[in-house]
Amino acid sequence: MVAFLLKFSSLPAITPTNIENTDDSAPGSHRKSALKYPQLVLGMIAIFLYVGVEVSTASNLPAYMEKDLGFETKDVAPYISLYWASMMIGRWTGAVEAFDFSAGFKKILRFLAPYLAFGLFLLVNAIAHHDLAPFYVYGLIIIAMIICDILSKGNPARMLLIFSCAGITAILIGMFTTGMVSVYAFTSVGLFCSTLWPCIFALAINGLGKHTNQGSGLLIMMIMGGGIVSLVQGYVADLISIHASYIIGVICFAYLAFYAITVTGILKAQGIDLDKITKGSGH
């Protein structure tokens, strides 16, 4: 119904369209559709799987904690809030580069911002009268995310690769351990998913030129992965076990790592050097 109303509505064209043929930088690289660009097609799959692993990890965590670890339903909520707070922690960290501060102050904020976000999580749960003692150790796990952010050096492909490998590590630790260690491991997936959306999006639309708007719309459609991947993991959980079903998340992250490596070569073939762009933008 919404699609029908939008089709026949007089909406203003508020999105600027790039009409320049910027996709002719390499001989024979001109394309008539956004779908002719491999970085976009592979990026659409990446967005689909990224949103999928992000949502499915949190969606299946309550069932795992209740059925495998014996948690009461009422005691699961703080851990799910920690998962989504982990997304906030990572995004606050990534947002540091958006501020016009000196390089030295940005380095301080890179450590300060995630713990401010973590403090907000603790405050909300304190107001809700939840026991905070089990969450203090999570402050040590945040350090791993900060290290990954520093190692990426602002390059979206490098960040995607590092954070995807960290996500694989977190899920495998969760799968091969039990108890609270596995809970913290699965929860930390939120930290390593937190920066992946802008990385994938930037890589997928890079070099599309006048097809950028079309490519962006196609990428947005791929958030449907959140529902489909969750369903697939749930089906696998019914076949084997909830604990083992997290192998679906490993597969998703593995593809994201593959995309990070592959897209760098694809863009270089089109005359786009990500390291030069990154340095030029001040990262």
Side-chain angles (χ1 to χ4, degrees):
M1 186 181 295
V2 172
F4 180 81
L5 292 173
L6 288 174
K7 175 67 177 177
F8 295 98
S9 298
S10 299
L11 295 174
I14 59 173
T15 305
T17 303
N18 183 355
I19 60 173
E20 298 177 6
N21 286 324
T22 55
D23 44 4
D24 284 321
S25 56
S29 65
H30 180 70
R31 296 164 172 84
K32 295 182 178 180
S33 168
L35 290 173
K36 298 295 183 180
Y37 291 84
Q39 66 263 41
L40 175 67
V41 176
L42 295 176
M44 289 169 65
I45 300 173
I47 287 287
F48 182 94
L49 295 177
Y50 149 69
V51 179
V53 67
E54 174 185 280
V55 175
S56 64
T57 300
S59 297
N60 289 279
L61 188 56
Y64 167 66
M65 294 178 68
E66 292 170 18
K67 294 181 180 179
D68 288 26
L69 303 182
F71 274 73
E72 295 290 333
T73 302
K74 62 182 178 63
D75 296 326
V76 173
Y79 294 92
I80 304 305
S81 71
L82 178 58
Y83 181 87
W84 295 112
S86 296
M87 298 288 294
M88 178 178 69
I89 290 167
R91 287 176 180 172
W92 281 28
T93 306
V96 169
E97 290 293 341
F99 293 97
D100 189 19
F101 297 133
S102 65
F105 190 54
K106 282 184 178 181
K107 290 180 179 178
I108 296 173
L109 281 180
R110 186 171 274 115
F111 286 89
L112 184 60
Y115 286 103
L116 286 174
F118 184 52
L120 182 59
F121 158 78
L122 293 175
L123 175 62
V124 169
N125 278 275
I127 294 172
H129 302 293
H130 292 144
D131 181 15
L132 301 183
F135 304 115
Y136 294 135
V137 68
Y138 201 72
L140 298 176
I141 302 175
I142 294 174
I143 295 175
M145 185 272 298
I146 296 173
I147 293 173
C148 290
D149 182 62
I150 293 173
L151 291 175
S152 70
K153 298 179 180 179
N155 182 312
R158 188 181 297 118
M159 178 174 283
L160 179 59
L161 177 60
I162 292 172
F163 275 71
S164 295
C165 290
I168 291 173
T169 302
I171 293 181
L172 288 177
I173 291 174
M175 291 178 65
F176 289 101
T177 58
T178 57
M180 291 308 301
V181 174
S182 64
V183 172
Y184 290 133
F186 288 139
T187 303
S188 69
V189 171
L191 289 173
F192 304 120
C193 279
S194 60
T195 63
L196 299 191
W197 174 277
C199 291
I200 299 170
F201 208 95
L203 293 168
I205 65 171
N206 217 321
L208 265 60
K210 66 180 181 180
H211 303 297
T212 300
N213 281 357
Q214 182 191 17
S216 299
L218 292 170
L219 286 170
I220 292 296
M221 289 172 61
M222 291 298 103
I223 64 175
M224 71 177 77
I228 296 175
V229 174
S230 296
L231 186 64
V232 171
Q233 184 173 344
Y235 179 72
V236 174
D238 289 339
L239 288 177
I240 42 178
S241 71
I242 299 174
H243 204 181
S245 72
Y246 277 93
I247 190 64
I248 298 298
V250 174
I251 295 171
C252 291
F253 274 124
Y255 176 83
L256 297 180
F258 161 77
Y259 178 65
I261 296 170
T262 305
V263 75
T264 301
I266 292 173
L267 293 176
K268 279 187 177 180
Q270 297 176 17
I272 301 170
D273 190 327
L274 293 172
D275 283 320
K276 290 182 178 179
I277 293 174
T278 301
K279 291 175 182 177
S281 63
H283 287 287

